[in-house]
Amino acid sequence: MTRKRKPRRRMVYSTTAGFNDGSVIACGPERKPSAKRMKEDGIFIDDDGVFKESHYSASYWKTWDVEQRVKAVTILANRLNTRRAIRELVLPEIAGIAATLDRIERRLDAIERSVDGGKSSQGAAE
């Protein structure tokens, strides 16, 4: 019986097209640039594997045909809905965690002060 191999996962490198606010409306795979090209052109690959981004102004939108506009509108609407969901669901939880950590830190500081104070008062009594 042979062992099943774990599939090899490779990073997918890509180029993106989007608007100046950072919203990406298109992405395409591309070969990873060579080390020489990266050094010569000053290419940086981000954590998502993107190494080339093209940004367009909103006025460029008018030059697209209807099919391109429909696809872009769907992508932008999904982006907006995702940002709103994160803002409503995740950010309040993060704020709650931060408040809890602040309380824990204050209590730890108070404990450390009381322990330090106890040592210094013992040292002064001797």
Side-chain angles (χ1 to χ4, degrees):
M1 186 164 106
T2 61
R3 262 202 254 173
K4 191 172 183 178
R5 272 192 173 174
K6 182 178 177 183
R8 187 170 165 193
R9 305 208 188 269
R10 292 184 179 180
M11 172 71 91
V12 175
Y13 299 94
S14 56
T15 61
T16 63
F19 292 113
N20 292 327
D21 69 345
S23 55
V24 175
I25 56 169
C27 177
E30 195 167 313
R31 289 184 58 158
K32 180 181 178 181
S34 66
K36 180 180 177 184
R37 183 173 157 221
M38 288 175 65
K39 184 177 180 181
E40 288 175 354
D41 297 345
I43 295 173
F44 170 76
I45 299 174
D46 70 8
D47 293 337
D48 297 324
V50 176
F51 66 90
K52 182 178 170 187
E53 295 182 276
S54 301
H55 297 281
Y56 300 99
S57 67
S59 62
Y60 189 70
W61 170 272
K62 296 174 186 174
T63 63
W64 297 352
D65 63 13
V66 174
E67 185 177 321
Q68 290 173 318
R69 288 184 190 189
V70 168
K71 288 179 182 178
V73 170
T74 304
I75 293 167
L76 294 172
N78 286 332
R79 179 179 186 266
L80 181 61
N81 288 331
T82 302
R83 291 173 62 97
R84 287 180 176 173
I86 289 170
R87 193 176 310 119
E88 291 174 11
L89 301 173
V90 176
L91 294 182
E93 293 294 324
I94 291 173
I97 292 169
T100 302
L101 286 174
D102 285 341
R103 283 195 310 272
I104 292 170
E105 188 174 5
R106 283 195 303 271
R107 290 174 66 188
L108 181 60
D109 287 342
I111 291 168
E112 287 175 345
R113 279 195 303 272
S114 69
V115 169
D116 289 343
K119 286 183 181 177
S120 62
S121 64
Q122 286 179 354
E126 293 176 8

Short mmCIF file of all heavy atoms in Angstrom, two decimals, residues 60-114:
data_model
loop_
_atom_site.label_atom_id
_atom_site.label_comp_id
_atom_site.label_asym_id
_atom_site.label_seq_id
_atom_site.Cartn_x
_atom_site.Cartn_y
_atom_site.Cartn_z
N TYR A 60 -12.39 56.73 -16.04
CA TYR A 60 -12.06 55.67 -17.00
C TYR A 60 -13.24 54.72 -17.17
O TYR A 60 -13.39 54.06 -18.19
CB TYR A 60 -10.81 54.92 -16.51
CG TYR A 60 -10.25 53.95 -17.50
CD1 TYR A 60 -9.62 54.38 -18.66
CD2 TYR A 60 -10.34 52.58 -17.27
CE1 TYR A 60 -9.11 53.48 -19.57
CE2 TYR A 60 -9.82 51.67 -18.17
CZ TYR A 60 -9.21 52.12 -19.32
OH TYR A 60 -8.70 51.23 -20.22
N TRP A 61 -14.09 54.65 -16.17
CA TRP A 61 -15.29 53.81 -16.15
C TRP A 61 -16.16 54.06 -17.38
O TRP A 61 -16.77 53.14 -17.92
CB TRP A 61 -16.04 54.15 -14.86
CG TRP A 61 -17.40 53.62 -14.69
CD1 TRP A 61 -18.57 54.21 -15.09
CD2 TRP A 61 -17.78 52.41 -14.04
NE1 TRP A 61 -19.63 53.45 -14.72
CE2 TRP A 61 -19.17 52.34 -14.07
CE3 TRP A 61 -17.08 51.39 -13.43
CZ2 TRP A 61 -19.87 51.28 -13.53
CZ3 TRP A 61 -17.77 50.34 -12.90
CH2 TRP A 61 -19.15 50.29 -12.94
N LYS A 62 -16.24 55.29 -17.84
CA LYS A 62 -17.12 55.67 -18.95
C LYS A 62 -16.71 55.03 -20.27
O LYS A 62 -17.52 54.90 -21.18
CB LYS A 62 -17.13 57.18 -19.11
CG LYS A 62 -17.71 57.90 -17.92
CD LYS A 62 -17.57 59.39 -18.07
CE LYS A 62 -18.03 60.07 -16.79
NZ LYS A 62 -17.79 61.50 -16.82
N THR A 63 -15.45 54.59 -20.38
CA THR A 63 -14.98 54.02 -21.63
C THR A 63 -15.29 52.53 -21.76
O THR A 63 -15.08 51.95 -22.82
CB THR A 63 -13.46 54.21 -21.78
OG1 THR A 63 -12.79 53.50 -20.74
CG2 THR A 63 -13.09 55.69 -21.72
N TRP A 64 -15.77 51.90 -20.71
CA TRP A 64 -16.05 50.48 -20.73
C TRP A 64 -17.39 50.17 -21.38
O TRP A 64 -18.31 50.98 -21.35
CB TRP A 64 -16.08 49.91 -19.32
CG TRP A 64 -14.79 50.01 -18.59
CD1 TRP A 64 -13.57 50.39 -19.08
CD2 TRP A 64 -14.59 49.73 -17.21
NE1 TRP A 64 -12.63 50.37 -18.10
CE2 TRP A 64 -13.22 49.96 -16.94
CE3 TRP A 64 -15.41 49.30 -16.18
CZ2 TRP A 64 -12.67 49.78 -15.69
CZ3 TRP A 64 -14.85 49.11 -14.94
CH2 TRP A 64 -13.50 49.34 -14.69
N ASP A 65 -17.50 48.96 -21.93
CA ASP A 65 -18.79 48.55 -22.46
C ASP A 65 -19.68 48.07 -21.31
O ASP A 65 -19.24 47.93 -20.17
CB ASP A 65 -18.63 47.48 -23.55
CG ASP A 65 -18.00 46.19 -23.05
OD1 ASP A 65 -17.90 46.00 -21.83
OD2 ASP A 65 -17.64 45.36 -23.90
N VAL A 66 -20.93 47.82 -21.62
CA VAL A 66 -21.93 47.50 -20.59
C VAL A 66 -21.57 46.22 -19.84
O VAL A 66 -21.71 46.16 -18.61
CB VAL A 66 -23.34 47.37 -21.24
CG1 VAL A 66 -24.35 46.91 -20.23
CG2 VAL A 66 -23.75 48.69 -21.84
N GLU A 67 -21.10 45.21 -20.53
CA GLU A 67 -20.77 43.94 -19.86
C GLU A 67 -19.66 44.13 -18.82
O GLU A 67 -19.73 43.59 -17.72
CB GLU A 67 -20.33 42.91 -20.90
CG GLU A 67 -20.09 41.53 -20.31
CD GLU A 67 -19.72 40.53 -21.40
OE1 GLU A 67 -20.30 40.59 -22.49
OE2 GLU A 67 -18.85 39.69 -21.11
N GLN A 68 -18.64 44.91 -19.16
CA GLN A 68 -17.56 45.19 -18.21
C GLN A 68 -18.08 45.97 -17.01
O GLN A 68 -17.69 45.71 -15.88
CB GLN A 68 -16.44 45.98 -18.89
CG GLN A 68 -15.65 45.18 -19.90
CD GLN A 68 -14.67 46.05 -20.65
OE1 GLN A 68 -14.99 47.16 -21.04
NE2 GLN A 68 -13.47 45.53 -20.85
N ARG A 69 -18.96 46.90 -17.25
CA ARG A 69 -19.52 47.69 -16.16
C ARG A 69 -20.33 46.82 -15.20
O ARG A 69 -20.24 46.97 -13.99
CB ARG A 69 -20.41 48.81 -16.70
CG ARG A 69 -19.65 49.92 -17.35
CD ARG A 69 -20.60 51.01 -17.75
NE ARG A 69 -19.95 51.99 -18.59
CZ ARG A 69 -20.48 53.12 -18.94
NH1 ARG A 69 -21.71 53.43 -18.56
NH2 ARG A 69 -19.83 53.97 -19.70
N VAL A 70 -21.12 45.90 -15.75
CA VAL A 70 -21.95 45.02 -14.91
C VAL A 70 -21.05 44.16 -14.01
O VAL A 70 -21.32 44.02 -12.81
CB VAL A 70 -22.87 44.14 -15.79
CG1 VAL A 70 -23.51 43.04 -14.98
CG2 VAL A 70 -23.93 45.00 -16.46
N LYS A 71 -20.00 43.60 -14.57
CA LYS A 71 -19.09 42.79 -13.77
C LYS A 71 -18.41 43.61 -12.68
O LYS A 71 -18.30 43.18 -11.53
CB LYS A 71 -18.03 42.13 -14.65
CG LYS A 71 -18.59 41.02 -15.51
CD LYS A 71 -17.53 40.41 -16.39
CE LYS A 71 -18.12 39.33 -17.26
NZ LYS A 71 -17.15 38.74 -18.17
N ALA A 72 -17.96 44.80 -13.05
CA ALA A 72 -17.28 45.67 -12.08
C ALA A 72 -18.23 46.11 -10.97
O ALA A 72 -17.84 46.16 -9.80
CB ALA A 72 -16.69 46.88 -12.78
N VAL A 73 -19.47 46.41 -11.31
CA VAL A 73 -20.44 46.84 -10.30
C VAL A 73 -20.68 45.73 -9.29
O VAL A 73 -20.75 45.97 -8.08
CB VAL A 73 -21.77 47.26 -10.99
CG1 VAL A 73 -22.86 47.48 -9.97
CG2 VAL A 73 -21.57 48.52 -11.78
N THR A 74 -20.77 44.50 -9.75
CA THR A 74 -20.97 43.37 -8.85
C THR A 74 -19.78 43.22 -7.91
O THR A 74 -19.95 43.02 -6.70
CB THR A 74 -21.17 42.07 -9.65
OG1 THR A 74 -22.26 42.26 -10.56
CG2 THR A 74 -21.44 40.90 -8.75
N ILE A 75 -18.58 43.32 -8.44
CA ILE A 75 -17.37 43.19 -7.62
C ILE A 75 -17.32 44.31 -6.59
O ILE A 75 -17.03 44.07 -5.40
CB ILE A 75 -16.12 43.19 -8.51
CG1 ILE A 75 -16.09 41.93 -9.37
CG2 ILE A 75 -14.85 43.33 -7.69
CD1 ILE A 75 -15.08 41.97 -10.50
N LEU A 76 -17.58 45.54 -7.01
CA LEU A 76 -17.52 46.68 -6.09
C LEU A 76 -18.60 46.59 -5.02
O LEU A 76 -18.38 46.95 -3.86
CB LEU A 76 -17.62 47.99 -6.87
CG LEU A 76 -16.43 48.28 -7.79
CD1 LEU A 76 -16.71 49.50 -8.65
CD2 LEU A 76 -15.17 48.46 -6.98
N ALA A 77 -19.78 46.09 -5.39
CA ALA A 77 -20.85 45.92 -4.40
C ALA A 77 -20.47 44.87 -3.37
O ALA A 77 -20.70 45.06 -2.17
CB ALA A 77 -22.15 45.54 -5.09
N ASN A 78 -19.86 43.77 -3.81
CA ASN A 78 -19.39 42.75 -2.87
C ASN A 78 -18.33 43.31 -1.93
O ASN A 78 -18.32 43.01 -0.74
CB ASN A 78 -18.85 41.53 -3.61
CG ASN A 78 -19.95 40.69 -4.21
OD1 ASN A 78 -21.06 40.68 -3.71
ND2 ASN A 78 -19.63 40.00 -5.28
N ARG A 79 -17.45 44.12 -2.47
CA ARG A 79 -16.40 44.74 -1.65
C ARG A 79 -17.03 45.63 -0.59
O ARG A 79 -16.67 45.58 0.59
CB ARG A 79 -15.46 45.55 -2.52
CG ARG A 79 -14.36 46.25 -1.74
CD ARG A 79 -13.45 47.02 -2.71
NE ARG A 79 -12.32 47.59 -2.01
CZ ARG A 79 -12.30 48.83 -1.54
NH1 ARG A 79 -13.34 49.62 -1.69
NH2 ARG A 79 -11.23 49.28 -0.92
N LEU A 80 -17.97 46.44 -1.00
CA LEU A 80 -18.64 47.34 -0.06
C LEU A 80 -19.40 46.57 1.01
O LEU A 80 -19.31 46.88 2.21
CB LEU A 80 -19.59 48.27 -0.82
CG LEU A 80 -20.35 49.29 0.02
CD1 LEU A 80 -19.38 50.23 0.71
CD2 LEU A 80 -21.30 50.08 -0.86
N ASN A 81 -20.12 45.53 0.62
CA ASN A 81 -20.86 44.72 1.58
C ASN A 81 -19.93 44.02 2.56
O ASN A 81 -20.23 43.91 3.75
CB ASN A 81 -21.75 43.71 0.87
CG ASN A 81 -22.94 44.37 0.21
OD1 ASN A 81 -23.42 45.40 0.67
ND2 ASN A 81 -23.40 43.78 -0.88
N THR A 82 -18.79 43.55 2.07
CA THR A 82 -17.81 42.90 2.95
C THR A 82 -17.26 43.89 3.96
O THR A 82 -17.15 43.58 5.15
CB THR A 82 -16.67 42.30 2.12
OG1 THR A 82 -17.22 41.36 1.19
CG2 THR A 82 -15.65 41.61 3.00
N ARG A 83 -16.92 45.08 3.50
CA ARG A 83 -16.39 46.10 4.42
C ARG A 83 -17.43 46.46 5.48
O ARG A 83 -17.09 46.63 6.65
CB ARG A 83 -15.98 47.35 3.64
CG ARG A 83 -14.75 47.13 2.77
CD ARG A 83 -14.48 48.32 1.89
NE ARG A 83 -14.20 49.51 2.64
CZ ARG A 83 -12.99 49.96 2.92
NH1 ARG A 83 -11.94 49.29 2.48
NH2 ARG A 83 -12.81 51.06 3.61
N ARG A 84 -18.68 46.58 5.09
CA ARG A 84 -19.74 46.90 6.06
C ARG A 84 -19.93 45.77 7.06
O ARG A 84 -20.11 46.01 8.25
CB ARG A 84 -21.05 47.19 5.33
CG ARG A 84 -21.04 48.52 4.63
CD ARG A 84 -22.34 48.78 3.93
NE ARG A 84 -22.33 50.11 3.34
CZ ARG A 84 -23.28 50.58 2.56
NH1 ARG A 84 -24.31 49.81 2.24
NH2 ARG A 84 -23.19 51.79 2.07
N ALA A 85 -19.89 44.54 6.58
CA ALA A 85 -20.05 43.39 7.48
C ALA A 85 -18.91 43.34 8.48
O ALA A 85 -19.13 43.11 9.68
CB ALA A 85 -20.12 42.09 6.69
N ILE A 86 -17.70 43.57 8.02
CA ILE A 86 -16.55 43.58 8.93
C ILE A 86 -16.71 44.70 9.95
O ILE A 86 -16.47 44.50 11.14
CB ILE A 86 -15.24 43.72 8.14
CG1 ILE A 86 -14.96 42.43 7.38
CG2 ILE A 86 -14.08 44.08 9.05
CD1 ILE A 86 -13.82 42.53 6.38
N ARG A 87 -17.10 45.85 9.48
CA ARG A 87 -17.28 47.00 10.38
C ARG A 87 -18.34 46.71 11.44
O ARG A 87 -18.19 47.05 12.60
CB ARG A 87 -17.65 48.24 9.58
CG ARG A 87 -17.54 49.52 10.38
CD ARG A 87 -17.82 50.77 9.56
NE ARG A 87 -17.08 50.83 8.31
CZ ARG A 87 -17.64 50.87 7.10
NH1 ARG A 87 -18.95 50.85 6.96
NH2 ARG A 87 -16.91 50.93 6.02
N GLU A 88 -19.43 46.06 11.05
CA GLU A 88 -20.52 45.80 11.98
C GLU A 88 -20.26 44.60 12.88
O GLU A 88 -20.66 44.61 14.05
CB GLU A 88 -21.82 45.56 11.21
CG GLU A 88 -22.37 46.79 10.53
CD GLU A 88 -23.58 46.49 9.66
OE1 GLU A 88 -24.12 45.36 9.74
OE2 GLU A 88 -23.98 47.37 8.89
N LEU A 89 -19.64 43.55 12.37
CA LEU A 89 -19.50 42.31 13.12
C LEU A 89 -18.15 42.13 13.80
O LEU A 89 -18.08 41.68 14.94
CB LEU A 89 -19.75 41.11 12.20
CG LEU A 89 -21.13 41.06 11.52
CD1 LEU A 89 -21.18 39.93 10.52
CD2 LEU A 89 -22.22 40.91 12.56
N VAL A 90 -17.09 42.47 13.11
CA VAL A 90 -15.76 42.18 13.63
C VAL A 90 -15.19 43.31 14.48
O VAL A 90 -14.65 43.06 15.56
CB VAL A 90 -14.80 41.85 12.46
CG1 VAL A 90 -13.39 41.63 12.94
CG2 VAL A 90 -15.30 40.63 11.72
N LEU A 91 -15.32 44.53 14.03
CA LEU A 91 -14.71 45.65 14.75
C LEU A 91 -15.23 45.81 16.18
O LEU A 91 -14.44 46.07 17.09
CB LEU A 91 -14.84 46.94 13.96
CG LEU A 91 -14.04 46.97 12.64
CD1 LEU A 91 -14.20 48.31 11.95
CD2 LEU A 91 -12.58 46.66 12.88
N PRO A 92 -16.54 45.65 16.44
CA PRO A 92 -16.99 45.73 17.83
C PRO A 92 -16.37 44.63 18.71
O PRO A 92 -16.04 44.88 19.87
CB PRO A 92 -18.51 45.56 17.74
CG PRO A 92 -18.86 45.97 16.36
CD PRO A 92 -17.69 45.60 15.52
N GLU A 93 -16.20 43.43 18.16
CA GLU A 93 -15.57 42.35 18.91
C GLU A 93 -14.12 42.70 19.23
O GLU A 93 -13.64 42.45 20.34
CB GLU A 93 -15.64 41.04 18.13
CG GLU A 93 -17.03 40.49 17.96
CD GLU A 93 -17.64 40.05 19.28
OE1 GLU A 93 -16.90 39.53 20.14
OE2 GLU A 93 -18.85 40.22 19.44
N ILE A 94 -13.41 43.25 18.27
CA ILE A 94 -12.02 43.65 18.48
C ILE A 94 -11.95 44.74 19.54
O ILE A 94 -11.06 44.73 20.40
CB ILE A 94 -11.36 44.09 17.16
CG1 ILE A 94 -11.20 42.88 16.24
CG2 ILE A 94 -10.02 44.75 17.41
CD1 ILE A 94 -10.72 43.21 14.85
N ALA A 95 -12.87 45.68 19.50
CA ALA A 95 -12.89 46.75 20.51
C ALA A 95 -13.14 46.16 21.90
O ALA A 95 -12.52 46.58 22.89
CB ALA A 95 -13.97 47.77 20.18
N GLY A 96 -14.02 45.17 22.01
CA GLY A 96 -14.28 44.51 23.28
C GLY A 96 -13.04 43.78 23.80
O GLY A 96 -12.72 43.84 24.99
N ILE A 97 -12.34 43.11 22.91
CA ILE A 97 -11.11 42.41 23.29
C ILE A 97 -10.06 43.41 23.75
O ILE A 97 -9.36 43.18 24.75
CB ILE A 97 -10.60 41.55 22.12
CG1 ILE A 97 -11.56 40.39 21.86
CG2 ILE A 97 -9.19 41.03 22.38
CD1 ILE A 97 -11.29 39.64 20.57
N ALA A 98 -9.94 44.52 23.05
CA ALA A 98 -8.96 45.55 23.43
C ALA A 98 -9.29 46.12 24.81
O ALA A 98 -8.39 46.34 25.63
CB ALA A 98 -8.94 46.67 22.39
N ALA A 99 -10.58 46.35 25.09
CA ALA A 99 -10.97 46.86 26.40
C ALA A 99 -10.64 45.85 27.50
O ALA A 99 -10.15 46.22 28.57
CB ALA A 99 -12.46 47.19 26.41
N THR A 100 -10.88 44.58 27.24
CA THR A 100 -10.55 43.53 28.21
C THR A 100 -9.05 43.48 28.46
O THR A 100 -8.60 43.37 29.60
CB THR A 100 -11.05 42.16 27.71
OG1 THR A 100 -12.45 42.23 27.50
CG2 THR A 100 -10.74 41.06 28.69
N LEU A 101 -8.26 43.57 27.40
CA LEU A 101 -6.81 43.57 27.56
C LEU A 101 -6.33 44.78 28.36
O LEU A 101 -5.41 44.66 29.17
CB LEU A 101 -6.13 43.53 26.19
CG LEU A 101 -6.18 42.19 25.47
CD1 LEU A 101 -5.59 42.32 24.07
CD2 LEU A 101 -5.45 41.13 26.25
N ASP A 102 -6.95 45.94 28.15
CA ASP A 102 -6.61 47.12 28.93
C ASP A 102 -6.88 46.90 30.41
O ASP A 102 -6.07 47.26 31.27
CB ASP A 102 -7.37 48.35 28.43
CG ASP A 102 -6.82 48.88 27.12
OD1 ASP A 102 -5.67 48.56 26.78
OD2 ASP A 102 -7.56 49.63 26.45
N ARG A 103 -8.04 46.30 30.73
CA ARG A 103 -8.37 46.02 32.13
C ARG A 103 -7.36 45.05 32.73
O ARG A 103 -6.91 45.23 33.86
CB ARG A 103 -9.79 45.45 32.24
CG ARG A 103 -10.87 46.49 32.11
CD ARG A 103 -12.22 45.96 32.58
NE ARG A 103 -12.60 44.68 32.02
CZ ARG A 103 -13.27 44.51 30.87
NH1 ARG A 103 -13.62 45.56 30.16
NH2 ARG A 103 -13.58 43.30 30.44
N ILE A 104 -7.01 44.01 31.99
CA ILE A 104 -6.05 43.03 32.48
C ILE A 104 -4.69 43.70 32.72
O ILE A 104 -4.03 43.44 33.73
CB ILE A 104 -5.92 41.85 31.50
CG1 ILE A 104 -7.21 41.03 31.49
CG2 ILE A 104 -4.72 40.97 31.82
CD1 ILE A 104 -7.28 40.00 30.37
N GLU A 105 -4.29 44.56 31.80
CA GLU A 105 -3.01 45.25 31.94
C GLU A 105 -3.00 46.15 33.17
O GLU A 105 -2.02 46.19 33.91
CB GLU A 105 -2.71 46.06 30.68
CG GLU A 105 -1.33 46.65 30.65
CD GLU A 105 -1.02 47.33 29.33
OE1 GLU A 105 -1.91 47.41 28.47
OE2 GLU A 105 0.12 47.78 29.18
N ARG A 106 -4.10 46.87 33.41
CA ARG A 106 -4.19 47.73 34.61
C ARG A 106 -4.11 46.89 35.88
O ARG A 106 -3.43 47.26 36.84
CB ARG A 106 -5.47 48.56 34.58
CG ARG A 106 -5.41 49.73 33.63
CD ARG A 106 -6.53 50.72 33.89
NE ARG A 106 -7.85 50.12 33.81
CZ ARG A 106 -8.58 50.03 32.70
NH1 ARG A 106 -8.10 50.49 31.57
NH2 ARG A 106 -9.76 49.46 32.71
N ARG A 107 -4.80 45.76 35.90
CA ARG A 107 -4.77 44.89 37.08
C ARG A 107 -3.37 44.31 37.28
O ARG A 107 -2.88 44.23 38.41
CB ARG A 107 -5.78 43.77 36.93
CG ARG A 107 -7.22 44.28 37.03
CD ARG A 107 -8.24 43.22 36.76
NE ARG A 107 -8.21 42.19 37.81
CZ ARG A 107 -8.89 41.07 37.74
NH1 ARG A 107 -9.65 40.82 36.69
NH2 ARG A 107 -8.83 40.19 38.71
N LEU A 108 -2.71 43.92 36.21
CA LEU A 108 -1.35 43.40 36.31
C LEU A 108 -0.40 44.47 36.83
O LEU A 108 0.46 44.19 37.67
CB LEU A 108 -0.89 42.88 34.95
CG LEU A 108 0.51 42.26 34.89
CD1 LEU A 108 0.59 41.06 35.83
CD2 LEU A 108 0.83 41.84 33.47
N ASP A 109 -0.55 45.70 36.34
CA ASP A 109 0.28 46.81 36.84
C ASP A 109 0.07 47.02 38.33
O ASP A 109 1.02 47.25 39.08
CB ASP A 109 -0.02 48.10 36.07
CG ASP A 109 0.53 48.08 34.65
OD1 ASP A 109 1.41 47.25 34.37
OD2 ASP A 109 0.07 48.91 33.84
N ALA A 110 -1.20 46.95 38.77
CA ALA A 110 -1.49 47.13 40.19
C ALA A 110 -0.87 46.00 41.02
O ALA A 110 -0.30 46.25 42.09
CB ALA A 110 -3.00 47.16 40.41
N ILE A 111 -0.93 44.78 40.51
CA ILE A 111 -0.32 43.65 41.22
C ILE A 111 1.19 43.83 41.29
O ILE A 111 1.80 43.63 42.35
CB ILE A 111 -0.69 42.32 40.53
CG1 ILE A 111 -2.18 42.01 40.71
CG2 ILE A 111 0.16 41.17 41.08
CD1 ILE A 111 -2.67 40.88 39.85
N GLU A 112 1.80 44.23 40.19
CA GLU A 112 3.25 44.44 40.18
C GLU A 112 3.66 45.54 41.15
O GLU A 112 4.66 45.43 41.85
CB GLU A 112 3.74 44.77 38.77
CG GLU A 112 3.73 43.57 37.84
CD GLU A 112 4.11 43.93 36.41
OE1 GLU A 112 4.11 45.13 36.06
OE2 GLU A 112 4.40 43.00 35.64
N ARG A 113 2.88 46.63 41.20
CA ARG A 113 3.18 47.72 42.14
C ARG A 113 3.06 47.25 43.58
O ARG A 113 3.88 47.58 44.42
CB ARG A 113 2.25 48.91 41.89
CG ARG A 113 2.70 49.80 40.74
CD ARG A 113 1.98 51.13 40.77
NE ARG A 113 0.53 50.99 40.74
CZ ARG A 113 -0.20 50.90 39.64
NH1 ARG A 113 0.36 50.95 38.48
NH2 ARG A 113 -1.51 50.78 39.71
N SER A 114 2.03 46.43 43.86
CA SER A 114 1.86 45.95 45.24
C SER A 114 2.99 45.00 45.63
O SER A 114 3.46 45.02 46.76
CB SER A 114 0.50 45.29 45.42
OG SER A 114 0.43 44.07 44.73
#
